[in-house]
């Protein structure tokens, strides 16, 4: 029954491909930054409205858009999440549909995710007398600053939902491949600021000051030992202190220095432990040097961890589309993804869609970012097959 239904949903191949490409290109040309996805949300809501979905709500958790499509029989309730935001990057290259907005670009592929979700919504809406359960689409703002998932969940987007699914196109995974992991998919991503406080003064009278620059230098060195001396060699951890600002002139002792950093781990407990230790070690180091240090946790996403049972269902569905050799388990990525919040709340699966363009390797979050558009129909088919199975299988 699943395969008949799948055939029905995938029946109109040419039309589907056209919708996917059109949506993706129109969205690519008009990117918006996190929490400013106003026109993007309108674009999506208009298209969902045209499908006469069972429920449509805009402005969820900021600029989020939510739509329900109900089947005709009882079944599982599956949430499909697509993120909507672009990045503050000026697009390079000369694509005909390149970003028309200066300094803003879909440089992570969220345009691809939205196009696939919209096309799945159309296929389901046209076949709603044939599938069980309910599918809820959550078009989420602000994935890039890990700020959009939580407000949507707090607004109740998971109420009545028992399974969740999402995907990310990946420019370093070959076209035709899909990565489904039974466990951790992406690292946690925490951003923090350490404010080191001393006492400013004359550069020639250091004994009358507490030099925040010297304390900051010790803090930077000390934090590296959390990786080298306090974490097991088999556990990948990254602590990067990417920004350090303090002081005003060569002959003035700085009274304050701000250090900004990020922590990445693949493990929930290790992440909590290290966040505590960063604050403790920085404060202890500063105290030992007569200063102080305040830790501010600015944004956070836990690691993205799939449910093994859900991952098995999705991998089976993917094999039906790309064949056994097409389904791989790509190494866990050290980038963060706030789909983690959905997976912390409900069993589900987040998979990677191979979208590597021909030619040179391109990275996400770069002005040169590109994907091979032929991944669109593949992603649509895998997502459709996976959602149908999640609706029906125990
Ligand atoms: Zn990104
Ligand atoms: Zn992304």
């Amino acid at each position: 029954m699943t395969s008949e239904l799948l055939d029905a949903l995938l029946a109109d191949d040419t039309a589907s491909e056209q919708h996917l490409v059109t949506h993706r290109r129109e969205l690519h040309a008009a990117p918006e930054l996190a929490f400013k996805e106003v026109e993007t949300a309108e674009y999506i809501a208009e298209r969902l409205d045209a499908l006469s979905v069972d429920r449509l709500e805009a402005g969820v958790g900021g600029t989020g858009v939510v739509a329900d499509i109900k089947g005709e029989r009882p079944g599982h309730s599956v949430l499909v999440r697509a993120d909507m935001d672009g990045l503050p990057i000026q697009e390079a290259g000369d694509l005909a549909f390149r970003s028309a907005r200066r300094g803003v670009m879909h440089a992570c592929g969220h345009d691809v995710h939205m196009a696939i979700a919209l096309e799945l919504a159309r296929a389901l809406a046209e076949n709603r007398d044939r599938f069980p359960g309910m599918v809820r689409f959550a078009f989420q703002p602000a994935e890039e600053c890990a700020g959009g998932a939580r407000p949507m969940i707090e607004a109740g987007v998971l109420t009545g939902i028992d399974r969740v699914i999402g995907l990310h196109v990946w420019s370093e995974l070959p076209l035709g491949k899909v990565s489904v992991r039974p466990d951790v998919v992406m690292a946690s991503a925490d951003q923090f600021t350490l404010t080191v406080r001393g006492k400013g003064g004359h550069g020639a009278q250091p004994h009358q000051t507490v030099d925040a620059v010297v304390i900051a230098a010790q803090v930077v060195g000390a934090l590296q030992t959390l990786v080298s001396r306090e974490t097991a060699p088999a556990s990948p951890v990254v602590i990067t202190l990417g920004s350090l600002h303090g002081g005003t002139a060569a002959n003035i002792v700085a009274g304050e220095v701000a250090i900004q950093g990020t922590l990445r781990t693949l493990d929930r407990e290790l992440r909590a432990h290290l966040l505590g230790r960063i604050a403790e070690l920085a404060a202890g180091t500063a105290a030992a040097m007569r200063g102080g240090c305040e830790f501010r946790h600015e944004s956070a996403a836990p690691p993205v961890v799939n449910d093994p049972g859900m991952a098995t269902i999705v991998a089976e569905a993917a094999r039906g589309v790309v064949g056994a050799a097409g389904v791989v388990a790509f190494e866990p990525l050290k980038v963060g993804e706030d789909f983690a919040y959905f997976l912390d709340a409900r069993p589900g699966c987040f998979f990677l869609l191979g979208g590597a363009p021909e030619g040179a390797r391109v990275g996400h979050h770069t002005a040169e970012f590109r994907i091979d558009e032929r991944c669109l129909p593949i992603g649509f088919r895998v997502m459709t097959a996976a959602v149908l199975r999640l609706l029906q299988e125990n």
Side-chain angles (χ1 to χ4, degrees):
M1 195 226 356
T2 307
S3 79
E4 264 173 50
L5 182 53
L6 182 60
D7 290 345
L9 262 73
L10 302 179
D12 206 344
D13 243 16
T14 329
S16 261
E17 283 194 38
Q18 207 150 37
H19 299 152
L20 287 161
V21 169
T22 303
H23 288 150
R24 188 260 162 161
R25 290 185 177 187
E26 288 177 356
L27 289 162
H28 188 89
E32 293 173 297
L33 293 174
F35 285 127
K36 294 182 178 146
E37 307 92 338
V38 176
E39 285 175 36
T40 307
E42 275 171 18
Y43 181 99
I44 286 161
E46 262 171 39
R47 275 145 193 85
L48 291 170
D49 197 33
L51 300 173
S52 310
V53 294
D54 296 290
R55 181 177 79 102
L56 178 62
E57 209 182 321
V60 182
T63 50
V65 180
V66 177
D68 288 357
I69 302 178
K70 289 183 186 142
E72 54 107 43
R73 295 168 276 133
H76 286 288
S77 298
V78 178
L79 177 134
V80 178
R81 181 272 218 163
D83 40 10
M84 304 195 291
D85 53 331
L87 285 157
I89 294 176
Q90 175 67 37
E91 182 163 7
D94 53 2
L95 285 175
F97 54 92
R98 73 180 167 276
S99 171
R101 299 207 166 120
R102 254 200 99 63
V104 187
M105 176 187 177
H106 270 299
C108 200
H110 300 182
D111 47 346
V112 170
H113 311 162
M114 288 185 279
I116 289 172
L118 280 176
E119 184 56 9
L120 174 59
R122 186 204 56 77
L124 287 169
E126 288 175 7
N127 288 279
R128 70 183 95 187
D129 52 331
R130 308 181 66 165
F131 69 88
M134 186 265 280
V135 180
R136 176 170 298 157
F137 290 87
F139 288 88
Q140 181 208 302
E143 188 287 318
E144 294 294 359
C145 59
R150 263 199 299 189
M152 283 199 100
I153 292 170
E154 281 158 14
V157 78
L158 284 172
T159 306
I161 291 295
D162 55 13
R163 295 170 167 188
V164 297
I165 186 166
L167 69 81
H168 208 300
V169 64
W170 203 247
S171 73
E172 292 175 43
L173 186 66
L175 182 74
K177 302 274 187 206
V178 173
S179 167
V180 187
R181 291 188 58 85
D183 46 21
V184 60
V185 184
M186 288 178 169
S188 62
D190 290 279
Q191 202 168 306
F192 56 86
T193 296
L194 293 162
T195 307
V196 177
R197 294 211 170 87
K199 180 169 173 276
H202 199 295
Q205 297 170 313
H207 56 294
Q208 291 172 2
T209 73
V210 177
D211 190 340
V213 165
V214 174
I215 297 174
Q218 296 291 331
V219 168
V220 169
L223 291 184
Q224 303 311 308
T225 66
L226 294 177
V227 183
S228 66
R229 303 290 83 187
E230 289 193 32
T231 303
S235 300
V237 168
V238 177
I239 295 178
T240 289
L241 305 171
S243 142
L244 193 147
H245 288 280
T248 51
N251 59 354
I252 300 173
V253 170
E256 194 173 298
V257 173
I259 305 169
Q260 287 182 299
T262 180
L263 167 72
R264 312 287 166 117
T265 71
L266 297 180
D267 182 277
R268 288 182 174 116
E269 280 86 51
L270 182 60
R271 167 187 176 237
H273 169 74
L274 286 172
L275 281 172
R277 284 292 291 148
I278 288 169
E280 194 175 79
L281 186 53
T285 304
M289 299 177 75
R290 301 177 297 141
C293 185
E294 190 186 290
F295 173 84
R296 205 170 62 238
H297 196 193
E298 266 145 7
S299 71
V304 177
V305 185
N306 281 344
D307 176 271
M310 298 299 111
T312 303
I313 293 176
V314 173
E316 264 172 42
R319 275 193 283 276
V321 176
V322 292
V327 183
V328 298
F330 205 55
E331 62 179 274
L333 300 170
K334 304 305 180 292
V335 301
E337 229 308 336
D338 68 1
F339 190 69
Y341 287 109
F342 291 94
L343 286 172
D344 272 7
R346 296 290 185 277
C349 180
F350 192 68
F351 65 92
L352 299 182
L353 170 66
E358 284 172 346
R361 170 190 172 275
V362 291
H364 288 248
H365 294 205
T366 66
E368 292 75 31
F369 177 76
R370 281 175 298 122
I371 53 104
D372 190 321
E373 267 188 344
R374 286 175 293 173
C375 74
L376 284 163
I378 299 171
F380 165 63
R381 284 189 208 115
V382 172
M383 184 57 103
T384 305
V387 167
L388 287 187
R389 278 177 183 256
L390 289 174
L391 285 169
Q392 296 175 79
E393 282 180 33
N394 284 320

